[in-house]
Amino acid sequence: MHLLYFAWLRAKIGTAEEELALPSQVHDVKSLLDWLKTRGPNYAEALKDLGTVRVAVNQDYVGPEHRVRDGDEIAIFPPVTGG
Amino acid sequence: MHLLYFAWLRAKIGTAEEELALPSQVHDVKSLLDWLKTRGPNYAEALKDLGTVRVAVNQDYVGPEHRVRDGDEIAIFPPVTGG
Amino acid sequence: MIRVQREDFDVGAELEALTKGNPRIGGVASFIGLVRDMGGSDRVTALTLEHYPGMTEKKLAEIEAEANKRWPLDASLIIHRYGRLEPGDRIVLVATASPHREAALAACHFLIDWLKTDAPFWKSEETPEGKRWVEKRAEDDAATQRWTIKS
Amino acid sequence: MIRVQREDFDVGAELEALTKGNPRIGGVASFIGLVRDMGGSDRVTALTLEHYPGMTEKKLAEIEAEANKRWPLDASLIIHRYGRLEPGDRIVLVATASPHREAALAACHFLIDWLKTDAPFWKSEETPEGKRWVEKRAEDDAATQRWTIKS
């Protein structure tokens, strides 16, 4: 899967994108976020309040139960502030 | 009083403005319109349906009971259609 | 600011001038009214706008003052043309600027609704069948009524 | 039409192009969002807009399609900039054209409300106290909620 991070989530995690193999315990957005938090203190800090985290899979907003698959483009970012 | 006519009221009456002395029987907008209708068939025709006639005295919209005085600027016109 | 004029106006320049030098402004809402030709048997080849000089300026200024009383605007502009216009020509420009977009959008909507029912302009149309006076639309009165503050 | 770009845009030319050659259009509503500097201790000296290339275009196109489904528009335009901008700079232009002013005004309002909450852009501000990320405003969510069709 291809992961993208934006705004302060990108700044806190310290990277804009990364290519990761889908671990066996990850099957939906919720389990993906739980797994990412174990990847280091930067991930744990960035993702500690999921109320301020939005996820898009293949460029559509999705909820925590949305299924993730290898090959998906998964973007994680704070609430948008454009306009 | 100074009378002004606009749009199809002007076209039907046949003049854009006229200066008239205030007759003794005219004291408000309603009696002014009644009196004007007696001035000729063009006036009678133009003013026959008062539902489509608006009046402004000294450049403010007024109702039939509004008092008119000599020296007033009185405009008579159909509903506005600008914008 | 209000202007009643025969000449066309430059929308880009007018909107730019409205916000110039005021970095508090976050949003500018505007509405441009154009002469339209619906085609078919209702073809309008030209429009003539007649107005009541003096009262027009007075009413537009009152409507603009009312918008500024109801919403926190940093700037506002109404330009209304008169005379003979052709399809595609601009008739009116309403623009409002505010720190907040909701105020600018609501005030712009209010201004165009009100000037439709309160500004003393009258349109006559030229069609292949001859000249005719445009009749008032009941929807315009209804649109203005929405803004009436219930007491 | 939608455009996501670093460069500024010419409001007058964009609005003119929107209606060119279509005499059915009676009204053009538009909204311009500007970088604002509220002054005082909250002074913003610059703003940087980051976005999600690909998804931004997709979302803007979806929002524009939704507006065209809800209102009878003859033309619509969304231009949103990204990159570093200074107070007074234009950020966004939304414009809608319709035979009827109510459709143009409502659709314009809808588009700016929706892109505030749905388009993947993020603002960071430079202030004398340093750089900070702009937080989402609860009012923006509320504004978008108004347009939700109750089922």
Side-chain angles (χ1 to χ4, degrees):
Chain A
M1 62 191 161
H2 192 67
L3 288 163
L4 299 164
Y5 309 106
F6 292 97
W8 56 255
L9 262 150
R10 170 183 49 69
K12 283 192 181 173
I13 288 173
T15 187
E17 49 189 307
E18 56 188 338
E19 189 69 39
L20 293 175
L22 191 73
S24 58
Q25 73 268 41
V26 172
H27 44 91
D28 60 11
V29 166
K30 195 190 170 307
S31 53
L32 170 67
L33 295 173
D34 287 342
W35 174 72
L36 283 173
K37 280 195 251 187
T38 68
R39 296 193 75 231
N42 50 334
Y43 289 91
E45 167 64 18
L47 301 170
K48 73 166 187 262
D49 176 10
L50 293 181
T52 61
V53 171
R54 300 285 176 273
V55 178
V57 172
N58 299 326
Q59 305 188 351
D60 273 318
Y61 294 107
V62 297
E65 269 85 55
H66 190 87
R67 212 172 162 72
V68 302
R69 292 182 175 82
D70 224 352
D72 278 350
E73 173 177 305
I74 304 169
I76 304 176
F77 46 77
V80 303
T81 55
Chain B
M1 62 194 162
H2 192 67
L3 287 163
L4 299 164
Y5 309 106
F6 292 98
W8 56 255
L9 262 151
R10 171 182 48 68
K12 284 192 180 173
I13 289 174
T15 187
E17 49 190 308
E18 56 189 338
E19 189 70 40
L20 294 175
L22 191 73
S24 59
Q25 71 268 41
V26 172
H27 43 91
D28 59 13
V29 166
K30 193 187 171 309
S31 53
L32 170 65
L33 295 172
D34 286 341
W35 174 71
L36 282 173
K37 280 194 251 188
T38 68
R39 297 192 75 231
N42 51 335
Y43 289 90
E45 166 65 19
L47 300 170
K48 72 167 186 264
D49 176 9
L50 292 181
T52 60
V53 171
R54 300 286 176 272
V55 178
V57 172
N58 300 324
Q59 305 188 349
D60 274 317
Y61 294 107
V62 297
E65 269 85 55
H66 189 87
R67 211 171 164 72
V68 302
R69 294 182 175 82
D70 225 351
D72 279 349
E73 175 177 305
I74 303 169
I76 304 176
F77 45 77
V80 303
T81 55
Chain C
M1 192 170 52
I2 65 140
R3 266 161 41 210
V4 182
Q5 63 189 45
R6 192 177 283 276
E7 309 74 45
D8 193 14
F9 45 82
D10 178 334
V11 174
E14 296 295 346
L15 297 182
E16 183 107 27
L18 202 65
T19 61
K20 196 116 201 144
N22 184 348
R24 272 170 40 90
I25 294 172
V28 178
S30 73
F31 180 83
I32 305 161
L34 304 162
V35 179
R36 110 193 129 103
D37 169 12
M38 292 305 285
S41 66
D42 249 13
R43 272 207 84 197
V44 173
T45 52
L47 195 85
T48 300
L49 270 146
E50 175 178 338
H51 78 117
Y52 179 178
M55 183 166 170
T56 308
E57 290 81 356
K58 183 174 188 277
K59 283 293 146 195
L60 292 183
E62 283 174 11
I63 296 166
E64 187 187 39
E66 180 67 25
N68 278 274
K69 210 169 75 184
R70 294 192 186 198
W71 291 280
L73 304 180
D74 272 39
S76 55
L77 172 68
I78 305 172
I79 304 177
H80 204 304
R81 294 175 71 188
Y82 60 89
R84 190 170 181 278
L85 303 170
E86 292 180 0
D89 283 352
R90 284 175 276 267
I91 303 172
V92 63
L93 171 67
V94 168
T96 49
S98 172
H100 303 289
R101 81 174 184 287
E102 285 295 334
L105 288 162
C108 177
H109 201 152
F110 167 88
L111 285 171
I112 186 69
D113 280 353
W114 269 64
L115 77 79
K116 284 255 174 199
T117 54
D118 269 40
F121 286 93
W122 300 273
K123 287 186 187 124
S124 62
E125 293 174 337
E126 293 167 37
T127 74
E129 291 77 41
K131 213 170 154 166
R132 66 181 178 214
W133 291 96
V134 173
E135 284 194 41
K136 187 178 73 131
R137 295 166 63 232
E139 304 99 279
D140 287 334
D141 280 345
T144 296
Q145 279 305 317
R146 273 190 324 199
W147 301 103
T148 305
I149 294 166
K150 272 92 185 166
S151 57
Chain D
M1 194 172 50
I2 64 140
R3 266 163 40 211
V4 182
Q5 63 188 44
R6 193 179 282 277
E7 309 74 46
D8 193 14
F9 45 82
D10 179 333
V11 174
E14 296 295 345
L15 297 182
E16 183 106 28
L18 201 66
T19 60
K20 196 113 201 146
N22 184 347
R24 273 172 36 93
I25 294 172
V28 178
S30 73
F31 180 82
I32 306 160
L34 303 162
V35 180
R36 109 193 129 103
D37 169 13
M38 290 306 286
S41 66
D42 250 12
R43 273 205 83 196
V44 172
T45 52
L47 195 85
T48 300
L49 269 147
E50 176 178 337
H51 78 117
Y52 179 178
M55 182 166 171
T56 307
E57 290 80 357
K58 183 173 188 280
K59 283 292 145 194
L60 292 184
E62 283 174 13
I63 296 167
E64 187 187 40
E66 179 67 26
N68 278 274
K69 209 168 74 182
R70 294 192 186 199
W71 290 280
L73 304 179
D74 273 39
S76 54
L77 173 68
I78 305 173
I79 305 177
H80 204 303
R81 294 176 70 190
Y82 60 89
R84 189 170 182 278
L85 302 171
E86 294 181 356
D89 282 353
R90 284 175 275 268
I91 302 171
V92 63
L93 172 66
V94 168
T96 49
S98 173
H100 302 289
R101 80 173 184 286
E102 285 296 334
L105 287 162
C108 177
H109 201 154
F110 167 86
L111 284 171
I112 185 69
D113 280 353
W114 269 63
L115 77 82
K116 285 254 174 197
T117 54
D118 269 38
F121 285 95
W122 300 273
K123 287 186 187 124
S124 63
E125 294 174 336
E126 294 166 38
T127 73
E129 291 77 42
K131 212 170 156 166
R132 66 180 179 213
W133 291 96
V134 173
E135 285 193 40
K136 187 179 74 130
R137 294 165 65 233
E139 304 98 280
D140 287 335
D141 280 346
T144 297
Q145 279 305 317
R146 274 190 323 199
W147 299 103
T148 305
I149 295 165
K150 272 91 186 166
S151 57

